[in-house]
Amino acid sequence: MPRRKVSIIGAGNVGATAAYYVAEKVIADIVMVDVVEGMTQAKALDFLHAGPMRQYDVSIRGTGDFSEISGSDVVVITAGLPRKPGMDRMDLLRVNAEIVKSASQSIAEFAPNSTVIVVSNPLDIMCHVAFRTTGFAVQRVMGMAGILDSTRFRCFVAREVGCAFADVHAMVLGGHGDQMVPLPRFTTVAGIPITQLLDKPVIDRMVERTRNGGAEIVAYLKTGSAYYAPAASVAEMVEAVITDRRTLAPCACYLRGEYGIEDLFLGVPALLGKNGVERSVELDLDKEEMDLLQKSASAVRKGVEDLRTFFRVR
Ligand SMILES: NC(=O)c1ccc[n+]([C@@H]2O[C@H](COP(=O)([O-])OP(=O)(O)OC[C@H]3O[C@@H](n4cnc5c(N)ncnc54)[C@H](O)[C@@H]3O)[C@@H](O)[C@H]2O)c1
């Protein structure tokens, strides 16, 4: 049986680390594409050389030629620029929207049957760009964010309770920004909601730390942002789609009325399988949780409107 194929557009910190995690689990053959060509070939060769010791024998290629993504089952978009001094949010939006748009055009041309996982920021808005540009079915375009935000929440809960990571499941909905919505009522240790295990001030502190999880790392790094946990989150999603694992995890999905929200990518629980988003799940949110989700949705919608105004993306 031919091996499955994953292409990663943007072989920077997140892209290259995701490639490494995908290789280590022998999930699929990998192509990394980047505009900085030599770097991509170098990383691919370096990964390959580690294969005999790490015991993966997948094919790993680095290239600047976008046509090499042809035949991909999954394409991940991590191409993008970080915000530079003097750039405002709109400048970053414009630069990354153009990068994601051109990546999406290549995907539509060379990998028309693939499922797309968007990682580039601002995440929910970039999902919109990829969705509109590829013209793919809604199930086949999704964004990675909630799975990362909830793994951070999981870490904090496990450390607080003193239990194994594996015992903790966490749920974080909404846009990938400081208005994300960690849900303590839907975060459990061996099935027990943390609201029954921990005091409210402790939970509130963890919720806040989850919201600032990315910023906390940026503050230490100074240049660049987190990539090990983001890359691990990408690999989880890739594996779920490639192996039809039907993982239930929060992802940025295109909403068509769920939670009363239309025509917007936003983080909600989604069942991931061979068709991409097999289905999204509507949780029974209380008023406070729903208000927070709607607030987060409004912030994302504002970004999409800016995009429509400035770049004529539908
Ligand atoms: N969704 C999330 O949770 C999450 C988490 C971490 C990072 N991110 C985002 O992911 C993106 C990548 O982060 P990173 O740390 O890997 O950045 P990085 O700067 O290390 O890598 C980005 C790569 O994209 C490449 N690139 C730029 N334009 C390109 C194009 N047109 N085609 C192909 N490649 C192109 C660059 O050459 C670079 O190698 C950023 O937008 C970042 O904000 C998102």
Side-chain angles (χ1 to χ4, degrees):
M1 202 173 101
R3 235 193 307 250
R4 312 299 296 276
K5 176 171 173 180
V6 174
S7 293
I8 300 179
I9 300 180
N13 283 336
V14 177
T17 313
Y20 177 71
Y21 288 146
V22 169
E24 281 258 315
K25 289 189 90 177
V26 198
I27 296 167
D29 288 337
I30 300 159
V31 171
M32 294 189 288
V33 194
D34 201 292
V35 284
V36 185
E37 259 200 64
M39 174 272 288
T40 317
Q41 278 91 335
K43 285 185 180 177
L45 267 177
D46 203 8
F47 282 160
L48 204 60
H49 297 165
M53 283 180 292
R54 303 300 303 174
Q55 297 181 4
Y56 52 78
D57 56 7
V58 294
S59 151
I60 306 172
R61 283 188 53 72
T63 179
D65 177 358
F66 282 78
S67 71
E68 291 202 37
I69 70 172
S70 126
S72 296
D73 299 284
V74 175
V75 182
V76 181
I77 306 178
T78 69
L81 297 190
R83 197 191 292 199
K84 298 200 173 113
M87 272 176 115
D88 66 14
R89 192 188 135 272
M90 239 10 251
D91 294 333
L92 184 72
L93 187 64
R94 176 185 296 129
V95 173
N96 282 354
E98 261 150 27
I99 290 173
V100 170
K101 187 173 174 189
S102 97
S104 303
Q105 284 164 339
S106 298
I107 295 170
E109 182 177 357
F110 300 115
N113 299 317
S114 60
T115 293
V116 180
I117 300 174
V118 181
V119 181
S120 312
N121 275 322
L123 189 269
D124 309 88
I125 305 168
M126 293 305 114
C127 289
H128 197 90
V129 174
F131 174 56
R132 292 296 184 203
T133 309
T134 56
F136 285 5
V138 289
Q139 294 86 346
R140 292 203 287 123
V141 180
M142 65 185 96
M144 185 292 288
I147 197 165
L148 167 65
D149 300 324
S150 46
T151 195
R152 287 179 173 147
F153 199 14
R154 284 174 72 185
C155 280
F156 303 145
V157 170
R159 287 293 180 254
E160 189 64 42
V161 173
C163 68
F165 288 151
D167 288 341
V168 184
H169 292 275
M171 195 50 80
V172 180
L173 306 189
H176 184 52
D178 49 14
Q179 294 191 342
M180 69 178 76
V181 187
L183 292 175
R185 280 197 317 130
F186 294 91
T187 296
T188 63
V189 179
I192 307 163
I194 58 167
T195 44
Q196 294 177 26
L197 286 173
L198 298 166
D199 294 334
K200 187 165 183 314
V202 175
I203 294 175
D204 288 347
R205 199 165 15 90
M206 288 189 296
V207 163
E208 217 32 50
R209 195 167 177 205
T210 300
R211 286 202 181 106
N212 295 322
E216 188 178 348
I217 289 172
V218 169
Y220 282 120
L221 275 177
K222 310 266 189 293
T223 56
S225 53
Y227 53 98
Y228 291 116
S233 307
V234 169
E236 283 283 302
M237 293 174 72
V238 167
E239 186 175 16
V241 175
I242 292 278
T243 64
D244 193 26
R245 203 173 57 186
R246 305 181 83 82
T247 300
L248 184 67
C251 309
C253 301
Y254 183 74
L255 301 186
R256 290 172 290 179
E258 298 93 327
Y259 300 92
I261 299 164
E262 294 263 6
D263 185 28
L264 201 70
F265 276 87
L266 201 69
V268 297
L271 197 67
L272 301 184
K274 65 178 187 305
N275 301 307
V277 176
E278 302 285 347
R279 71 183 184 96
S280 60
V281 174
E282 271 192 84
L283 301 174
D284 187 12
L285 300 182
D286 65 23
K287 182 169 179 324
E288 189 188 345
E289 293 160 345
M290 185 57 104
D291 286 350
L292 289 171
L293 188 67
Q294 298 299 337
K295 205 168 148 198
S296 181
S298 298
V300 175
R301 196 175 291 288
K302 162 88 175 64
V304 174
E305 292 308 328
D306 289 346
L307 195 74
R308 285 195 172 116
T309 313
F310 286 86
F311 315 117
R312 303 206 175 98
V313 170
R314 277 183 296 139

